[in-house]
């Protein structure tokens, strides 16, 4: 079965073609980052307009790259939420219109389920059940994935998402958007142990996160430095990154112990962070567990994860009706199980 995936939930247009026999046939991404850069963050209306410009030409380009004609596509998956409503509606309208024209089924996919399933595209994918740390610009979630489409939220952020905290700290340090990669680069020149930032909520039981206190601490530190030089900024970046990475690592270890799971999956933009990957790799080693990470280009938003997650649901008999509904807010544990899984 060949499924076209369309991702337009935020500031990236992603289109990919997944073949259940042959794997990914093509995977293209257009990032709007430079367009939003001068505003210091994503401007929703500009994002929607740009998705309108890109989506159809990218679909044509993906099909051409894969050498596949429209009559050889068996289904279309699009991100139905969570995300920016206008941006979601662009992908949904294009995908649904094409599905109608090509007479193939369409299915709306949950963006975070896309991230969660991205490690399944690797050569050695995890088996269920597993614990997943989903860390993106909009979400920080610890999930117990019992089976496909059966997700239990173990913990989540009470305020900022981990990626959002990176983006805000980057702004304080005069770095551009997205802040995660910029902080990680700057931190490479940082001096260890000059600053120690708090590890939020690690001494309390439970698996929830909170990053707003760390954000305030970072702001105060930058203000205390007056006019920070390059070394000061690198030292702050390192201390901030270490605090986030430590917090995520401690909570992941706790989640593995509480669930008794020996598999940890990480996904979402922040999972591209090298330091986080290293720390988690060390932690799972001492816990006698295994870490599953998506390829770097599948950590951040992409069409491949939507094509893959959509294929799973289409193959299990799920179809979205003709009414065009998107869900800007959509908790992952409210996801319906596809018909085959319910039977
Ligand atoms: O998953 P994603 O591409 O989009 C959302 O669904 O939000 O995640 C984007 C987030 C941004 O906040 C970005 O700063 C962060 O992921 N990010 C990183 C890194 N690369 C991207 N954070 C830390 N280190 C990185 N290397
Ligand atoms: Zn995402």
């Amino acid at each position: 079965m060949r499924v076209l995936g369309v991702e337009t939930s935020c500031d990236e247009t992603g289109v990919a073609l997944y073949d259940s026999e042959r794997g990914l046939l093509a995977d293209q991404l257009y990032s709007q980052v430079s367009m939003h850069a001068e505003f210091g963050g994503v401007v929703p209306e500009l994002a929607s307009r740009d998705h309108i410009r890109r989506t159809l030409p990218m679909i044509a380009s993906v099909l051409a790259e894969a050498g596949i004609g429209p009559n050889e596509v068996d289904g279309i998956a699009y991100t139905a939420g969570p995300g920016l409503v206008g941006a979601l509606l662009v992908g949904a309208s294009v995908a649904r219109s094409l599905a109608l024209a090509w007479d193939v089924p369409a299915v709306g996919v949950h963006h975070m389920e896309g991230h969660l399933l991205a490690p399944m595209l690797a050569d050695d994918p995890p088996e269920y059940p597993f614990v997943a740390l989903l860390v993106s610009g909009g979400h920080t979630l610890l999930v117990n994935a019992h089976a496909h489409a059966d997700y239990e939220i173990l913990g989540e952020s009470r305020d900022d998402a981990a990626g959002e905290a990176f983006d805000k700290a980057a702004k304080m340090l005069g770095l551009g958007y997205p802040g995660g990669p910029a902080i990680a680069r700057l931190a490479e020149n940082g001096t260890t142990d000059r600053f120690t930032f708090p590890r939020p909520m690690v001494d309390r039981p439970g698996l929830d996160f909170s990053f707003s206190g760390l954000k305030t601490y970072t702001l105060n530190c930058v203000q205390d430095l007056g006019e920070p030089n390059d070394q000061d900024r690198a030292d702050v970046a390192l201390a901030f990154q270490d605090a986030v990475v430590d917090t995520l690592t401690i909570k992941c270890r706790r989640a593995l112990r509480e669930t008794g799971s020996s598999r940890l999956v990480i996904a979402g933009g922040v999972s591209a962070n090298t330091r986080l990957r290293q720390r988690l790799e060390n932690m799972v080693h001492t816990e006698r567990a295994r870490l599953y990470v998506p390829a770097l280009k599948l950590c951040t938003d992409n069409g491949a994860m939507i094509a893959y997650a959509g294929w799973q649901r289409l193959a299990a008999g799920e179809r979205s009706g003709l009414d065009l509904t998107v869900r800007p807010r959509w908790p992952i544990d409210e996801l319906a199980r596809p018909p085959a899984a319910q039977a």
Side-chain angles (χ1 to χ4, degrees):
M1 187 179 197
R2 288 190 204 97
V3 177
L4 184 72
V6 179
E7 154 63 35
T8 63
S9 68
C10 190
D11 60 345
E12 256 128 15
T13 317
V15 178
L17 190 64
Y18 176 76
D19 183 322
S20 54
E21 306 285 311
R22 293 159 60 202
L24 269 185
L25 301 184
D27 175 19
Q28 296 187 12
L29 188 77
Y30 178 80
S31 170
Q32 305 174 351
V33 159
S34 57
M35 183 180 78
H36 298 291
E38 63 176 296
F39 306 101
V42 179
V43 184
E45 179 60 22
L46 294 183
S48 312
R49 291 184 203 183
D50 207 60
H51 286 308
I52 292 174
R53 276 192 287 271
R54 309 278 167 198
T55 309
L56 263 182
M58 276 176 72
I59 290 174
S61 170
V62 158
L63 292 181
E65 186 191 329
I68 294 289
N71 55 342
E72 296 170 284
V73 173
D74 303 305
I76 306 185
Y78 58 93
T79 307
L84 303 170
V85 66
L88 289 167
L89 277 169
V90 175
S93 322
V94 172
R96 299 303 301 273
S97 309
L98 279 181
L100 201 64
W102 295 348
D103 196 22
V104 294
V107 71
V109 169
H110 190 289
H111 180 81
M112 297 311 288
E113 181 178 60
H115 277 303
L116 178 91
L117 296 178
M120 297 293 185
L121 286 162
D123 290 338
D124 182 16
E127 282 172 27
Y128 295 104
F130 56 78
V131 169
L133 172 72
L134 305 180
V135 269
S136 70
H139 297 85
T140 303
L141 285 170
L142 262 170
V143 170
N144 194 353
H146 297 287
H148 174 241
D150 184 4
Y151 312 125
E152 175 195 357
I153 296 179
L154 299 170
E156 61 192 318
S157 180
R158 296 184 178 178
D159 38 63
D160 292 353
E164 194 179 357
F166 267 101
D167 295 335
K168 288 179 177 168
K171 221 172 193 172
M172 295 170 200
L173 291 169
L175 303 169
Y177 175 86
I183 295 250
R185 266 194 307 276
L186 187 61
E188 283 171 22
N189 303 323
T191 322
T192 317
D193 295 336
R194 174 165 168 210
F195 301 114
T196 305
F197 285 16
R199 273 67 176 146
M201 306 202 24
V202 294
D203 45 7
R204 280 193 234 166
L207 293 166
D208 282 345
F209 304 88
S210 163
F211 292 107
S212 71
L214 178 61
K215 187 177 64 185
T216 312
Y217 192 94
T218 308
L219 183 63
N220 289 338
C221 179
V222 173
Q223 283 173 346
D224 288 348
L225 285 165
E227 288 186 20
N229 61 29
D230 286 352
Q231 191 59 54
D232 293 332
R233 291 164 62 249
D235 295 345
V236 172
L238 179 64
F240 170 83
Q241 177 176 259
D242 275 351
V244 176
V245 166
D246 243 20
T247 306
L248 295 175
T249 306
I250 290 167
K251 292 289 163 87
C252 284
R253 183 176 56 210
R254 198 176 286 173
L256 286 176
R257 288 183 181 173
E258 284 186 11
T259 58
S261 178
S262 59
R263 288 181 281 266
L264 177 66
V265 162
I266 56 168
V270 182
S271 71
N273 187 279
T274 310
R275 187 105 176 110
L276 177 65
R277 288 172 170 235
Q278 286 166 348
R279 287 294 310 278
L280 289 175
E281 199 61 76
N282 292 342
M283 183 275 286
V284 294
H285 184 73
T286 55
E287 295 294 310
R288 297 180 195 282
R290 234 193 102 177
L291 182 68
Y292 296 83
V293 292
L296 274 183
K297 64 179 277 203
L298 298 182
C299 286
T300 42
D301 289 350
N302 62 84
M305 66 186 195
I306 302 304
Y308 180 83
W311 163 66
Q312 291 238 312
R313 287 186 171 266
L314 287 167
E318 186 171 328
R319 308 281 184 267
S320 297
L322 276 178
D323 52 323
L324 214 110
T325 35
V326 293
R327 285 185 70 176
R329 287 172 197 281
W330 187 3
I332 195 169
D333 55 354
E334 284 181 15
L335 258 178
R337 302 195 72 189
Q342 285 169 4

